[in-house]
Amino acid sequence: MSKKNSNFSHILMILCFSIIINADLIAQGSEVSTSQNLDQSATDSGKNRKGTYRGRISQEYLQKFSTMSKDLEIKKEEQESTVYRLEAVKARSKKVEEKEQQKLFSDNIASLKLTIGVLEDEIKQYKKALRLLQEHKTQPDLEKNNVLLEVSKIELKIEEIRKKYENEKLNVIIEGVDSDERNVYENPPKADCNIVFNGIDAVTKRQKIEVQREFLFGYTHPKLRSYFKDEFFLNCYAKMVKLDKKYYLWLYISIASKDAIKTYGRIDQNSTLKFELLSGEILYAQNLQSAIGQLEAYTGNTNYEIILPLDKSKYKLLSKGEIDRLGIMWSSGYEQYEIYNVDVVKNQIECLKSE
């Protein structure tokens, strides 16, 4: 072999060896890089899982606090409303002389007192839960999770209180039925009829019978009661009208504010009013014409007039049942009111029947 060929073979061998070594180094580097990437990925994944867990616990903790705070406020308002209603029923019961009627009112008062007691128990539990959440809001996630478990137990206790209330309320109703075999208010004292018009209506030229309007309910928001101690902020009066063979329920609402049109708005034509009866039945009636507030200059009150046509089914329900609650859809939103003079409309229908 010539010297030139020998040198060429040597160079070729070195090149091949270099290529093999470089390949091994690249492979090793790749393995190291892959291993490092896997380790880093696992570390990042662990961090992400921890971050996700912390985020979930914090979000659940905050949501629970917000929800229970809202529920507590609702319970407080419900309690205040029930106390207010109890006082009104007590005042009405003092006007009743017959022993049977006194017993009926007594049963209703007992039921309202029971409701107030249950609301007090629920409010205590809500406050207990919120206190726990408030005291541990800066604690680690594990501690927060334990608090959420404790709050869940409190929620179960609230549910037990409600179930116990339903059973006790049922016992009050059954006792009333056993003693008198009648529901509350089924046979109220006979009301005096006060017919203010019976003749041909000057506008429609049709036979018209109209009953004197009477107080149906009053309402004062809890925040305004310090300003309206001896009267209601909102007053509603009702009267029944018979025009030929058709019946209409007229409602007059007076709000002690010149700004009521801004805060309450109006009651649109065909807007639906919801009547809940003591019997548990519900009826809906549509407003015949738009009720727009009219400012009374000499009092500063804003007045609304609502006209509700009653078909046979609605008329029949109201002639036999007492109104427990009334829901009105104002243009500003829906509001529900407790009715104190539950038998006003029923008695007025009786008056129309007697004419």
Side-chain angles (χ1 to χ4, degrees):
M1 184 183 292
S2 67
K3 187 175 181 181
K4 185 175 180 181
N5 289 337
S6 177
N7 289 337
F8 178 75
S9 298
H10 183 70
I11 292 168
L12 183 61
M13 186 183 296
I14 291 171
L15 285 172
C16 289
F17 186 72
S18 297
I19 290 170
I20 292 170
I21 290 175
N22 287 334
D24 288 341
L25 288 173
I26 290 168
Q28 289 176 11
S30 177
E31 288 177 1
V32 170
S33 176
T34 301
S35 177
Q36 289 175 343
N37 288 339
L38 287 173
D39 290 342
Q40 184 64 39
S41 177
T43 302
D44 292 344
S45 178
K47 288 180 179 179
N48 287 337
R49 282 198 298 271
K50 289 178 182 177
T52 302
Y53 176 76
R54 285 197 298 269
R56 181 178 64 80
I57 290 295
S58 297
Q59 185 177 4
E60 187 177 347
Y61 202 86
L62 182 62
Q63 173 134 23
K64 185 64 68 176
F65 186 85
S66 175
T67 300
M68 296 202 84
S69 296
K70 290 177 182 177
D71 289 343
L72 176 60
E73 290 305 312
I74 290 171
K75 290 297 175 183
K76 284 181 177 179
E77 287 190 9
E78 189 178 345
Q79 184 188 38
E80 288 182 5
S81 176
T82 307
V83 169
Y84 206 56
R85 189 178 181 196
L86 175 61
E87 294 304 315
V89 172
K90 281 182 178 179
R92 289 177 57 208
S93 69
K94 292 176 182 178
K95 300 177 182 179
V96 177
E97 297 180 357
E98 296 180 12
K99 290 183 179 180
E100 291 182 354
Q101 299 302 325
Q102 288 175 351
K103 177 64 172 66
L104 295 176
F105 274 96
S106 177
D107 290 342
N108 195 37
I109 289 171
S111 178
L112 289 170
K113 284 182 176 179
L114 179 61
T115 302
I116 292 169
V118 170
L119 287 169
E120 287 176 352
D121 290 342
E122 286 185 288
I123 288 170
K124 285 178 184 177
Q125 295 301 319
Y126 276 110
K127 286 182 176 179
K128 181 180 178 181
L130 286 168
R131 187 165 56 250
L132 271 174
L133 291 166
Q134 181 69 27
E135 289 174 353
H136 295 83
K137 65 181 181 180
T138 59
Q139 296 298 315
D141 294 335
L142 182 61
E143 183 64 26
K144 282 184 178 178
N145 193 51
N146 291 335
V147 171
L148 288 173
L149 292 174
E150 287 299 316
V151 170
S152 296
K153 292 178 183 178
I154 292 173
E155 288 178 314
L156 288 175
K157 191 167 184 179
I158 292 172
E159 189 62 31
E160 288 174 4
I161 291 171
R162 289 173 186 165
K163 288 179 180 178
K164 183 181 177 183
Y165 161 69
E166 290 299 327
N167 292 332
E168 290 180 356
K169 185 178 180 181
L170 182 61
N171 290 334
V172 169
I173 293 172
I174 289 174
E175 287 174 6
V177 172
D178 288 342
S179 64
D180 199 74
E181 296 184 351
R182 291 175 296 179
N183 293 324
V184 178
Y185 298 130
E186 189 167 326
N187 293 297
K190 188 171 179 64
D192 294 330
C193 288
N194 191 357
I195 303 296
V196 294
F197 185 86
N198 189 350
I200 303 299
D201 182 56
V203 177
T204 63
K205 307 300 180 184
R206 290 188 289 174
Q207 180 66 32
K208 177 183 176 182
I209 305 174
E210 181 181 336
V211 179
Q212 174 67 45
R213 69 182 185 183
E214 297 177 84
F215 180 74
L216 182 63
F217 71 87
Y219 173 75
T220 304
H221 191 280
K223 293 181 180 179
L224 296 176
R225 285 177 187 165
S226 59
Y227 302 99
F228 294 87
K229 294 180 180 179
D230 300 322
E231 56 186 7
F232 293 109
F233 173 69
L234 182 152
N235 290 277
C236 180
Y237 298 84
K239 76 173 181 182
M240 282 296 303
V241 174
K242 182 181 180 183
L243 197 60
D244 280 346
K245 294 182 180 181
K246 294 183 179 180
Y247 293 89
Y248 299 85
L249 173 59
W250 291 50
L251 299 177
Y252 298 88
I253 295 178
S254 181
I255 301 174
S257 170
K258 59 182 177 59
D259 297 320
I261 296 174
K262 296 178 182 178
T263 54
Y264 279 84
R266 64 187 182 280
I267 303 170
D268 292 325
Q269 184 179 13
N270 296 321
S271 178
T272 300
L273 279 71
K274 178 182 179 182
F275 293 82
E276 296 181 29
L277 308 185
L278 284 173
S279 63
E281 295 173 289
I282 296 175
L283 69 87
Y284 299 91
Q286 281 71 43
N287 187 22
L288 187 63
Q289 61 185 24
S290 183
I292 300 172
Q294 301 295 324
L295 182 62
E296 209 170 51
Y298 62 93
T299 63
N301 294 343
T302 304
N303 301 323
Y304 295 83
E305 187 175 273
I306 304 165
I307 304 174
L308 304 171
L310 302 177
D311 58 24
K312 288 183 179 180
S313 62
K314 296 182 179 68
Y315 170 79
K316 187 176 181 181
L317 276 176
L318 290 175
S319 67
K320 293 183 177 181
E322 294 82 6
I323 305 169
D324 187 31
R325 293 183 180 89
L326 171 63
I328 298 178
M329 179 59 75
W330 298 87
S331 58
S332 60
Y334 182 80
E335 285 200 0
Q336 183 170 267
Y337 306 99
E338 302 281 348
I339 306 299
Y340 300 131
N341 289 338
V342 296
D343 51 4
V344 164
V345 175
K346 178 183 175 182
N347 291 336
Q348 290 185 357
I349 291 175
E350 286 297 318
C351 287
L352 291 179
K353 286 181 180 179
S354 65
E355 291 297 314

